[in-house]
Amino acid sequence: VRTFLLGLYATLTLQAAPHPLTPLAADEIAAAARIIRESHRVPDAARFTILTLDEPPKDSVLHNLNPPRRAFAVLYDGATDHTFEAVANLTTRKLDRADLIPNVEPMIGAEDSARVDRILRADPRWRQALLARGIRELNRVVVICWSAGHFDLPGTQTGRIVRAIPYSTEGNTRNFYAHPIEGLVAHVNMTTGRIMDLLDTPRNAPIPSTPAELPTTFNLPLREPPAPLLITQPNGFGFKIEDGEVRWQKWRFRWMLHPREGLVLYTVGYEDGGRIRPILYRGSLSEMVVPYGDPSAGWFFRNSFDAGEFGLGLNASSMRPGIDCPANCRTFDATFADPSGAPTTLPRAVALYERDAGIAWKHDDEARRARELVLSFVSTVGNYDYGFDWIFRQDGSLEMRVSLTGIMAAKAVADSDHDLFSHPVGPNLAAPHHQHFFTFRLDLDIDGPAPNRVIEMNSVAVAAGPRNPYGGAFEMRESTLATEREAQRNLDLTTSRKWIVVNPTAKNSLGHPTGYALLPGENAIPFALPESWIRKRAGLLDHHIWVTPYAAGELYAAGDYPNQSRAGDGLPRWTKANRPIDSRDIVLWYTMGITHNPRPEDWPVMPVHTAGFKLIPWGFFGRNPAMDLPVN
Ligand SMILES: [Cu+2]
């Protein structure tokens, strides 16, 4: 009996162990911080910029090898300008590593902003420049920190550097972004605690004074509300969650709200014929770059990397059912570490919900209504708000839809001197043209991690002649991308170019390799010149598509530390080796760009603009997988 009970106990303990991709719980974050602190391998004053799950190796997750729970942390010591990485082993309660990472700067956080704020307010030149603009009360000024980038300027070789921009809060405005104090930019070295360089350009543009408050329930005449529309699910949610795994219709997946990348999908699979077929091991937003096109002294440096420099998950905002997500959503809290390493919980950081999705398919009087499942979060990075939705469909397709909203970065202008780098959006206000680039890392495992192969499809007209007697013939040509260099590809409207990832050893019912296709949506090419610093620092902009063989440490397309980075890190560096990618475990990288030419209707708050891409089954099934949808 005792042996039996012990056996039972062992089974129960085993079951109680979290799945290896379960995000760190609050007590694990606290324990990891304690292990790191008590090791005394990093300075006591160093603060945590990231503390998150150290993802176990892919093999050990896929083969249930019960890997140890580990936490990965990045710490920064302001006194010495040193950055450390540490890995705490929560299973053995020991520190597995702590390393000084030379010549890098971690993400910019609230503590940096607070320090810059103090440096500026204590600087007589800065106060004098404000006084010269008629601003006497410093508490009517808000300072916003922009990442400084890198331009090889004198004095920027060492130290932690940002550029600080003041806005007026005169009249107690909540939308101070409408009141930029133009031409006053402090180039601040936080390591020395000094303003290195104060840009104070001629004051030909007044501080725009027109209020641009966002309407609340009380301060504006609001239109008649539309007729009530109730979204209820009287029998409860349509999805199940078991040990962190979502099960909905035939989909299975896990997720984490990562402090840097935001929503990360894991182990996405589809149930087919009684088994779960793998599709996507890990899907994430690897990096974002937002280059502005205005070359003036107060604007040229604005090229933020919102994921790697600020942290999309860390800047998540709470979702309110009925407002930020439908009333029938289920919300989930997210737990991060604060700078001291203490766990802090953001309530309702992620929403999961079903919604109506129009017609699934139809012919004549036979049709089915579609439903989709949406996993959603919103990141508020300074003035901008980015919504990210992973959308699962009953036809086996998966979509990433980004919603761009929030308040544009605008500059004060004299109404008479409009330039072509910006577009007027309000009295004395113009918003500079800019682009938003999003690089997604898609670790696809089509019917298993390997062998996977990337094929490019180009449709081309057939030359006039016997094969094309009436002039209308066109064919679709497929070519395998065999090496990393071959796989640096761009969109091409002239050939309706697409890419599929196939498993050459798995066959559908027609006998063809199973696959998924990447369907691009809106896109753009960068306007910044190839020799510009931003292009060198963001090599991910060089191509819409990159393919790399899976490598555990290759997560961030512009490098692990894009803040103040120099050049060539991330994708350009890894792919120099020109590794083979055919019939391997591969990672597909897709960069989506949006050219934002501001218009008055984008002010004072942008109506949501959406853009994204789809992964759709391409021979993964032998026919329409939604044929079995029930009659409504
Ligand atoms: Cu924009």
Side-chain angles (χ1 to χ4, degrees):
V1 169
R2 184 172 292 165
T3 316
F4 170 72
L5 283 177
L6 279 173
L8 186 68
Y9 180 71
T11 314
L12 288 173
T13 321
L14 222 62
Q15 281 173 345
H19 184 277
L21 294 172
T22 307
L24 294 184
D27 60 330
E28 291 180 306
I29 289 175
R34 203 161 48 237
I35 292 166
I36 294 166
R37 289 284 184 220
E38 288 173 2
S39 75
H40 297 292
R41 296 274 302 281
V42 291
D44 289 347
R47 62 179 157 94
F48 288 87
T49 63
I50 270 195
L51 173 56
T52 187
L53 177 73
D54 186 45
E55 283 178 32
K58 186 171 178 177
D59 273 5
S60 65
V61 175
L62 293 179
H63 300 120
N64 297 319
L65 300 181
N66 207 8
R69 292 281 284 171
R70 287 192 175 99
F72 169 80
V74 176
L75 296 100
Y76 178 71
D77 180 40
T80 55
D81 188 31
H82 283 165
T83 301
F84 300 85
E85 288 181 358
V87 173
N89 188 319
L90 295 161
T91 308
T92 62
R93 306 261 145 189
K94 288 203 166 68
L95 189 81
D96 279 0
R97 75 174 174 97
D99 299 305
L100 173 73
I101 311 295
N103 306 318
V104 300
E105 291 295 333
M107 306 199 277
I108 299 165
E111 296 216 332
D112 294 307
S113 302
R115 174 155 169 75
V116 166
D117 202 81
R118 286 193 299 272
I119 294 169
L120 259 53
R121 287 171 203 276
D123 189 293
R125 287 174 300 163
W126 190 74
R127 290 202 306 259
Q128 182 56 41
L130 287 175
L131 201 59
R133 287 165 167 82
I135 300 169
R136 276 163 216 289
E137 293 189 50
L138 288 188
N139 59 6
R140 298 271 169 83
V141 175
V142 161
V143 173
I144 296 294
C145 286
W146 278 73
S147 48
H150 181 76
F151 296 90
D152 205 19
L153 299 171
T156 60
Q157 300 307 320
T158 57
R160 186 163 174 80
I161 297 163
V162 293
R163 295 203 185 237
I165 294 160
Y167 291 88
S168 166
T169 59
E170 196 65 49
N172 295 321
T173 176
R174 284 191 66 202
N175 181 11
F176 52 80
Y177 293 111
H179 311 289
I181 303 171
E182 199 61 40
L184 181 61
V185 181
H187 204 185
V188 183
N189 187 323
M190 284 184 264
T191 309
T192 61
R194 303 174 74 87
I195 297 179
M196 302 190 299
D197 170 32
L198 186 67
L199 171 78
D200 187 3
T201 53
R203 293 168 286 277
N204 53 1
I207 300 168
S209 58
T210 309
E213 298 305 302
L214 306 193
T216 67
T217 331
F218 309 106
N219 69 356
L220 261 188
L222 302 175
R223 71 174 71 178
E224 280 294 303
L229 172 64
L230 301 181
I231 303 168
T232 58
Q233 294 195 286
N235 299 335
F237 299 114
F239 51 84
K240 284 200 190 84
I241 301 183
E242 289 184 24
D243 184 24
E245 186 185 58
V246 181
R247 299 176 180 193
W248 177 78
Q249 292 287 299
K250 298 186 172 186
W251 288 99
R252 303 277 181 100
F253 65 91
R254 306 180 158 276
W255 89 83
M256 162 155 68
L257 189 68
H258 190 281
R260 174 168 175 164
E261 299 155 275
L263 266 179
V264 178
L265 289 183
Y266 296 107
T267 59
V268 179
Y270 196 90
E271 191 219 314
D272 184 23
R275 67 197 171 100
I276 307 299
R277 296 175 61 191
I279 296 168
L280 178 69
Y281 177 74
R282 192 182 193 278
S284 60
L285 175 60
S286 174
E287 193 51 272
M288 268 188 66
V289 193
V290 187
Y292 284 72
D294 189 325
S296 65
W299 282 82
F300 74 92
F301 56 87
R302 303 197 199 205
N303 300 305
S304 54
F305 292 67
D306 291 278
E309 287 183 336
F310 297 98
L312 293 173
L314 291 175
N315 286 291
S317 61
S318 286
M319 311 283 274
R320 292 154 300 175
I323 302 173
D324 306 297
C325 51
N328 65 324
C329 72
R330 179 173 168 192
T331 58
F332 301 85
D333 301 347
T335 305
F336 301 120
D338 76 7
S340 76
T344 135
T345 294
L346 175 70
R348 306 185 313 278
V350 173
L352 182 64
Y353 57 90
E354 277 185 309
R355 69 182 171 200
D356 182 82
I359 296 171
W361 52 258
K362 178 179 176 68
H363 176 62
D364 208 354
D365 62 353
E366 198 65 61
R368 296 291 185 275
R369 194 83 198 154
R371 193 72 74 78
E372 58 194 18
L373 183 72
V374 186
L375 180 69
S376 180
F377 95 107
V378 178
S379 187
T380 300
V381 191
N383 49 306
Y384 246 92
D385 299 68
Y386 297 101
F388 297 92
D389 294 347
W390 287 105
I391 304 167
F392 296 82
R393 299 224 167 78
Q394 291 163 311
D395 60 5
S397 63
L398 172 60
E399 180 175 351
M400 161 43 69
R401 195 181 290 168
V402 182
S403 299
L404 295 89
T405 182
I407 300 169
M408 292 186 300
K411 62 177 181 178
V413 289
D415 273 339
S416 49
D417 68 347
H418 169 56
D419 63 46
L420 295 179
F421 301 115
S422 61
H423 196 276
V425 294
N428 295 121
L429 268 176
H433 303 295
H434 57 279
Q435 297 184 289
H436 302 257
F437 289 96
F438 304 81
T439 298
F440 293 91
R441 179 183 182 276
L442 304 167
D443 180 358
L444 288 156
D445 284 7
I446 304 300
D447 276 319
N452 275 195
R453 168 180 291 164
V454 184
I455 293 171
E456 181 171 295
M457 302 186 299
N458 290 289
S459 293
V460 287
V462 174
R467 284 193 72 231
N468 189 7
Y470 310 107
F474 74 99
E475 57 193 13
M476 199 264 279
R477 295 178 187 163
E478 301 190 358
S479 48
T480 298
L481 305 177
T483 65
E484 288 182 305
R485 204 166 298 143
E486 271 182 41
Q488 294 170 357
R489 305 295 292 162
N490 291 312
L491 293 177
D492 187 354
L493 269 184
T494 66
T495 68
S496 293
R497 185 170 292 162
K498 300 177 190 70
W499 294 271
I500 48 175
V501 180
V502 302
N503 184 327
T505 61
K507 300 288 189 323
N508 61 27
S509 58
L510 303 173
H512 297 138
T514 63
Y516 259 75
L518 174 87
L519 286 197
E522 177 179 352
N523 214 321
I525 55 163
F527 291 108
L529 299 178
E531 61 272 23
S532 63
W533 275 105
I534 182 56
R535 288 291 298 278
K536 289 192 281 189
R537 295 176 58 229
L540 52 89
L541 298 178
D542 291 356
H543 306 284
H544 293 123
I545 290 283
W546 306 63
V547 183
T548 56
Y550 169 80
E554 297 180 359
L555 285 178
Y556 302 124
D560 290 352
Y561 297 94
N563 186 18
Q564 294 177 244
S565 66
R566 303 296 161 93
D569 208 357
L571 281 170
R573 184 162 63 80
W574 307 327
T575 57
K576 260 188 198 142
N578 200 24
R579 296 167 289 188
I581 52 167
D582 188 16
S583 297
R584 311 269 160 154
D585 182 3
I586 56 99
V587 176
L588 178 68
W589 306 76
Y590 175 60
T591 295
M592 167 179 94
I594 289 142
T595 302
H596 188 175
N597 301 116
R599 55 187 176 130
E601 288 86 349
D602 287 337
W603 193 258
V605 63
M606 279 172 61
V608 167
H609 175 82
T610 59
F613 67 91
K614 288 179 192 161
L615 292 169
I616 66 165
W618 197 278
F620 193 75
F621 306 101
R623 63 172 194 172
N624 182 347
M627 295 290 283
D628 63 348
L629 287 186
V631 179
N632 212 302

